[in-house]
Amino acid sequence: MVVYREVLTSFYTFIIVALWVLTIIGKWKMFEKAGEPGWASIIPFYADYKLYQMAWGNGWLFLLALVPVVNIVVAAIVCWKLAQAFGKGVGFAIGMFLIPSLFYMILGFDASQYLGVQD
């Protein structure tokens, strides 16, 4: 029973690390596409600041993500605004909210262009 638990824990740890690495790679390419430095995707709070700056034009709004319950609403809005900034629709925004690792990779490696902050 203990061996099974260790194998399962190792598997979950591998999955989490793999998703983290894919998110970093996708954000790196997405940041470069938006004209921001790619290395910004690996600095914890600075990455959020830059992400919010790309989506809203004001990076300091990332502080709203620190407020409980408000953070869920703000995350949904950021996904929507970021999808618009890359010329994507509401379906893409929903995907970004639900499966961010995959959709950051798509934004980083597809042919879309960063259009800037959309009103």
Side-chain angles (χ1 to χ4, degrees):
M1 183 71 173
V2 173
V3 172
Y4 174 74
R5 187 177 312 162
E6 289 175 3
V7 169
L8 195 59
T9 302
S10 298
F11 177 73
Y12 286 146
T13 302
F14 174 77
I15 295 297
I16 289 169
V17 169
L19 287 174
W20 178 72
V21 168
L22 289 176
T23 301
I24 295 292
I25 293 169
K27 277 187 174 181
W28 187 296
K29 296 298 288 181
M30 184 181 68
F31 279 25
E32 287 181 342
K33 192 183 282 191
E36 300 292 341
W39 57 262
S41 64
I42 59 175
I43 312 294
F45 289 106
Y46 187 63
D48 293 335
Y49 172 79
K50 285 298 191 182
L51 189 69
Y52 278 63
Q53 189 175 32
M54 288 186 322
W56 289 38
N58 184 356
W60 289 106
L61 291 173
F62 87 93
L63 294 173
L64 291 173
L66 302 175
V67 180
V69 180
V70 174
N71 60 353
I72 297 169
V73 175
V74 170
I77 294 171
V78 166
C79 288
W80 167 242
K81 292 179 105 17
L82 199 59
Q84 282 183 323
F86 281 93
K88 304 292 185 183
V90 68
F92 197 87
I94 292 170
M96 282 186 69
F97 186 75
L98 297 175
I99 315 170
S101 299
L102 174 65
F103 282 84
Y104 285 142
M105 291 288 287
I106 291 171
L107 273 184
F109 289 100
D110 74 349
S112 65
Q113 296 291 326
Y114 178 68
L115 306 173
V117 177
Q118 305 294 310
D119 291 327

